[in-house]
Amino acid sequence: GFSRDLLEYAKLHQHAKVSMDGPYSSNEVLAAVKSADRVCLIAGGSGVAVTYPFAWAREAPRHSASDILHDRKLYVDGKKRIPEVKRISSSDQSRLAHFWIRQDARHESWITVLPNTMTNAVSSNASEHCHNVGRAVDLITHRFETRSATGDHQRPDIQAELEAWIKGDLKQKIDQKQSICVVVSGPDGLVKDVQNTVARLVAEGWKLQVHVEKFGW
């Protein structure tokens, strides 16, 4: 609805005033994300605006202290430069999981900044930046596209996905006493599925806490 309103406005106006709002969430949730033994972040659509900074806060300090990589196109001296970024998977998905449910894989372009795994691998100078190959940790561990090539919509079974990650497979020895922080940001249906799953697993003896992050206009 909000995106449609923007589109309709753009059809009649060449310019618009823009207000920036953020960052989202609270220090309480950030502290929970940093202190838990295991963390699962679940985003629906633009809810990734909430969960991605949490993944960054949790994972980036394990790599480079200051450097970042970005895959946004740059214009240097009037010439378009496309940085070369090679993504690598998070080293331990049993410790951090980040689910992103989105309609289209092209939404990946929303995320352009990634933590660098190689100290001083990329210069802060824009022109030099584009000539280097950087390795970046991928902060999204599970991606789900709900819109198929034929236009049909199919949502993932997030309850099953969350439970599978929490309990692990037969090869993993998951300690049920470990603290697990779950953060969900997205539509009401997604939030309810996550809350119901967490409530059921808490009844089974898992040490879980869930935080619901909502934002809107």
Side-chain angles (χ1 to χ4, degrees):
F2 178 73
S3 299
R4 187 179 297 109
D5 288 344
L6 289 178
L7 178 61
E8 293 302 320
Y9 186 89
K11 290 178 180 179
L12 302 174
H13 302 81
Q14 289 185 333
H15 303 281
K17 292 182 179 180
V18 177
S19 298
M20 302 298 293
D21 180 37
Y24 298 115
S25 190
S26 64
N27 289 332
E28 178 185 356
V29 182
L30 178 60
V33 167
K34 289 184 174 181
S35 63
D37 296 318
R38 302 172 65 202
V39 175
C40 184
L41 308 169
I42 304 171
S46 58
V48 75
V50 172
T51 59
Y52 195 79
F54 287 141
W56 185 285
R58 175 86 179 191
E59 190 71 14
R62 296 169 55 86
H63 301 280
S64 172
S66 59
D67 292 328
I68 62 172
L69 298 174
H70 70 83
D71 55 16
R72 186 182 296 279
K73 298 180 181 67
L74 296 178
Y75 288 84
V76 180
D77 298 328
K79 297 181 179 179
K80 182 169 68 174
R81 308 287 182 88
I82 302 177
E84 296 180 88
V85 176
K86 293 184 177 180
R87 298 191 181 194
I88 60 176
S89 298
S90 178
S91 58
D92 186 0
Q93 291 189 14
S94 67
R95 181 180 52 81
L96 170 67
H98 191 180
F99 299 174
W100 187 13
I101 303 103
R102 66 265 181 104
Q103 288 189 2
D104 196 303
R106 289 173 295 181
H107 294 167
E108 193 75 25
S109 63
W110 294 352
I111 297 175
T112 62
V113 181
L114 305 151
N116 186 10
T117 63
M118 299 170 60
T119 304
N120 298 323
V122 178
S123 170
S124 59
N125 181 278
S127 60
E128 294 179 14
H129 188 137
C130 300
H131 293 298
N132 286 276
V133 176
R135 294 177 65 82
V137 67
D138 193 346
L139 297 183
I140 308 294
T141 61
H142 301 70
R143 293 169 169 80
F144 305 92
E145 278 75 51
T146 61
R147 181 182 296 168
S148 67
T150 59
D152 297 329
H153 290 262
Q154 185 174 1
R155 301 187 184 280
D157 185 348
I158 202 64
Q159 294 194 40
E161 294 286 348
L162 176 57
E163 182 172 356
W165 176 80
I166 289 173
K167 293 185 175 180
D169 57 33
L170 295 177
K171 297 179 181 179
Q172 294 174 302
K173 294 182 179 180
I174 302 295
D175 185 358
Q176 195 169 351
K177 296 181 180 179
Q178 285 186 323
S179 61
I180 304 174
C181 175
V182 179
V183 180
V184 57
S185 178
D188 291 338
L190 174 64
V191 170
K192 181 179 290 187
D193 283 346
V194 171
Q195 288 176 320
N196 289 341
T197 304
V198 168
R200 177 164 46 80
L201 293 176
V202 167
E204 294 179 11
W206 290 88
K207 190 178 178 181
L208 284 156
Q209 57 174 321
V210 61
H211 298 272
V212 177
E213 293 295 308
K214 300 288 287 184
F215 66 97
W217 295 269

